[in-house]
Amino acid sequence: MSTASLPTPDRAAALRAALLSAGFTADGLLDLLGAPAYAALARSETVPALRATRGDGPLPSLVRLFLLQRPVPYARAAAALPVEDALADGWLRRGEGPAGEDLVHATVDVRPYGGPDGEDWFIVSDLGCAVGGAGGIGSGEEGVVLGVGGASTTLAGITVRTPVGSALDLGTGSGIQALHASRHATRVTATDVNPRALDFTRLTLALSGAPEAELLTGSLFEPVGDATYDLIVSNPPFVISPGARLTYRDGGMGGDDLCRTLVQQAGAHLNPGGYAQFLANWQHVEGEDWKDRLRSWVPRGCDAWIVQREVQDVTQYAELWLRDAGDHRTDPGEYTRRYEDWLDEFEARKTRAVGFGWITLRRSDAETPSIVVEEWPHPVEQPLGETVLAHFARQDYLRDHDDAALLEGRFQLAAEVVQEQVGAPGAEDPEHVVLRQNRGMRRATKVDTVGAGFAGVCDGSLSAGRILDAIAQLVQEDPVLLRDRTPESIRLLVEQGFLEPAGSGAPTAG
């Protein structure tokens, strides 16, 4: 990581125009490198990309400069961008090669990044710290500012994208979430405990042609005082580690206290109806239900949807983050000592595993809040912003409708739900029936023959009660008993997005 001062964004518009003119975009990279080299670059394997950029032309020069961090002859750089301005503003530095060549070097990573509506954006970060850059993600240096990675894109994908007046990106890093928020928020505020991160955010926004954001230094909600927002997003330093060695990942609080504090304090900073969305890690503590642990984090007045996507035992978790910092490449004795420190920390806290996932809060001020905590490690379809909105809309509907109201309601099968029958080959009847979504969370749920028949008939024309009466006649069952036992199944199908209240107009992706 360079300790030199960062570039100034004053002439970023001219630099942006040059990058776009050369085709230095996400699509341009794919065209130049080809799919195999492009995929290898995402794994931080640079040899295929170096081979693909041996030719002349502005685009190969820019890829070598800003993604591969290779020096480029001055003349080639001058053919690709306003080199003297880039040198004066600090994007580049000049140097002499072994044979006296006049070379220029990049001072920062610049990563082309495609926006959700085809925008050509650029993420600016420390050298070697962009996924697909020369060094790959991760650094053992304190204060490093990372580029875009899997966690960043995951959070961007699950974020609700309705137009809002105000958005807060807490712990902004290189400004990826602030950049996304600039598309649909009138006012964007970005905070970080690391002042260099705010400088990188300013560069990312300027080079991407996005509006400026309010940039504030400090930890958690301290920089914003009592301010409230319509949207809060955070990819915080959630790693549960012994100490606060690396600012970009280690929260500096014991265990999962940073994530807990972030979630608990968020409620007071949400406007009515506002959303707060986070990535987080949490402990699985001996003798404690992890779901109860997370329910206790939810602030008063907020509904919550918490999804655990992955669980690692403490040895896997420690090894992951030791490798992230490059500790596996250090002296074996030092690596062993640090590994022991992690295991000592977990043992002291009776932590047996660590969960990773998403936390979404919505300030509803409901008397009976909806708090859904679930484990879903299966593939999903990003982006999920509409799916998040649909989840809370369904919770509102179910909260407002008792069993009698459900039976009076009319429902329709959600789009792209299919039925699968599972059983032995040649059997007259299936062992069970599965309803499966092909969108959103891609859920699957078992249903009995009554449930399958009910879902298949739901087209919004008949009430649930009338459908059940017809099914009772077909299967020769008492309609009163069937009405009594079915509302729970209807609730589950609505909650998981298989059925939608007819005429609700709400999105239904699971």
Side-chain angles (χ1 to χ4, degrees):
M1 180 184 71
S2 173
T3 57
S5 59
L6 295 178
T8 61
D10 300 343
R11 288 181 283 199
L15 178 58
R16 171 179 170 78
L19 298 179
L20 294 178
S21 177
F24 189 59
T25 64
D27 290 340
L29 286 182
L30 182 59
D31 290 341
L32 172 68
L33 302 179
Y38 189 83
L41 191 59
R43 301 190 300 269
S44 299
E45 295 291 346
T46 60
V47 172
L50 285 167
R51 291 172 62 87
T53 56
R54 288 182 296 193
D56 292 329
L59 182 54
S61 298
L62 293 173
V63 173
R64 283 184 166 251
L65 262 179
F66 289 117
L67 278 186
L68 303 178
Q69 276 95 63
R70 296 297 196 274
V72 169
Y74 178 93
R76 288 186 62 180
L81 74 171
V83 67
E84 286 299 325
D85 287 349
L87 286 164
D89 292 345
W91 295 93
L92 303 175
R93 63 177 177 84
R94 208 161 186 171
E96 186 176 301
E101 310 101 313
D102 189 6
L103 302 176
V104 293
H105 305 251
T107 62
V108 291
D109 268 327
V110 177
R111 168 76 174 183
Y113 180 67
D117 291 327
E119 300 93 341
D120 289 315
W121 288 340
F122 300 95
I123 308 301
V124 188
S125 63
D126 270 314
L127 285 173
C129 292
V131 171
I137 201 87
S139 172
E141 295 188 56
E142 172 63 21
V144 70
V145 178
L146 301 184
V148 64
S152 303
T153 55
T154 294
L155 179 59
I158 67 172
T159 299
V160 170
R161 296 298 176 192
T162 53
V164 294
S166 57
L168 170 64
D169 176 12
L170 193 152
T172 187
S174 53
I176 299 154
Q177 309 308 323
L179 182 58
H180 277 276
S182 70
R183 296 175 58 250
H184 63 103
T186 303
R187 176 173 59 87
V188 177
T189 299
T191 71
D192 206 287
V193 71
N194 182 2
R196 293 184 75 253
L198 299 178
D199 292 335
F200 274 112
T201 294
R202 184 178 291 108
L203 295 173
T204 290
L205 294 174
L207 197 58
S208 298
E212 294 183 3
E214 178 186 31
L215 304 176
L216 302 174
T217 305
S219 179
L220 296 174
F221 290 99
E222 178 271 329
V224 303
D226 296 329
T228 58
Y229 300 87
D230 301 312
L231 174 67
I232 299 170
V233 292
S234 183
N235 177 18
F238 52 65
V239 177
I240 299 171
S241 62
R245 180 174 157 216
L246 300 174
T247 303
Y248 74 87
R249 69 172 204 190
D250 301 326
M253 297 185 184
D256 52 18
D257 282 354
L258 183 132
C259 291
R260 175 186 56 79
T261 302
L262 177 62
V263 173
Q264 288 180 335
Q265 292 182 355
H269 293 275
L270 280 177
N271 291 326
Y275 286 86
Q277 299 185 265
F278 315 107
L279 301 185
N281 278 183
W282 44 78
Q283 296 165 230
H284 285 230
V285 177
E286 184 179 346
E288 177 186 76
D289 187 330
W290 68 271
K291 293 184 178 181
D292 290 340
R293 183 181 191 85
L294 290 171
R295 288 188 187 97
S296 73
W297 292 8
V298 178
R300 184 184 299 274
C302 288
D303 296 330
W305 185 21
I306 301 173
V307 182
Q308 179 168 272
R309 295 287 289 155
E310 185 179 1
V311 181
Q312 289 184 318
D313 69 47
V314 293
T315 59
Q316 293 173 310
Y317 189 81
E319 291 162 13
L320 169 67
W321 294 109
L322 287 167
R323 287 194 301 270
D324 171 81
D327 291 329
H328 61 303
R329 296 190 292 267
T330 63
D331 174 73
E334 180 67 12
Y335 176 79
T336 298
R337 184 189 65 79
R338 286 180 171 165
Y339 200 149
E340 290 275 9
D341 288 344
W342 283 73
L343 296 185
D344 287 344
E345 177 79 4
F346 288 132
E347 186 175 344
R349 296 181 178 276
K350 298 183 178 180
T351 301
R352 296 293 174 260
V354 177
F356 168 82
W358 320 323
I359 298 177
T360 298
L361 306 177
R362 181 189 60 164
R363 184 177 165 192
S364 65
D365 295 319
E367 288 187 19
T368 306
S370 165
I371 300 176
V372 176
V373 184
E374 62 175 322
E375 185 166 18
W376 190 254
H378 310 294
V380 299
E381 183 191 45
Q382 286 275 35
L384 283 169
E386 289 295 323
T387 297
V388 173
L389 284 172
H391 169 87
F392 287 99
R394 293 194 299 268
Q395 297 304 313
D396 287 342
Y397 177 87
L398 293 172
R399 185 160 44 201
D400 294 339
H401 290 73
D402 60 17
D403 288 354
L406 280 182
L407 292 175
E408 293 177 3
R410 293 176 296 123
F411 300 91
Q412 57 194 34
L413 194 65
E416 297 197 44
V417 171
V418 298
Q419 176 179 304
E420 300 173 357
Q421 300 189 67
V422 181
E428 183 175 347
D429 296 313
E431 293 177 14
H432 57 263
V433 177
V434 174
L435 298 181
R436 187 178 301 277
Q437 301 166 351
N438 288 320
R439 304 295 302 273
M441 293 293 284
R442 293 179 172 167
R443 297 186 188 276
T445 188
K446 289 183 181 180
V447 292
D448 59 18
T449 54
V450 171
F454 179 85
V457 173
C458 282
D459 61 4
S461 62
L462 297 175
S463 70
R466 288 187 63 187
I467 293 174
L468 290 177
D469 290 343
I471 291 175
Q473 186 173 1
L474 285 173
V475 299
Q476 297 182 335
E477 185 171 339
D478 186 334
V480 175
L481 294 178
L482 189 60
R483 279 174 172 255
D484 284 345
R485 67 178 175 85
T486 304
E488 183 178 352
S489 299
I490 296 175
R491 283 188 182 278
L492 179 63
L493 292 174
V494 172
E495 180 178 345
Q496 295 190 345
F498 291 95
L499 293 179
E500 114 177 61
S504 66
T508 59

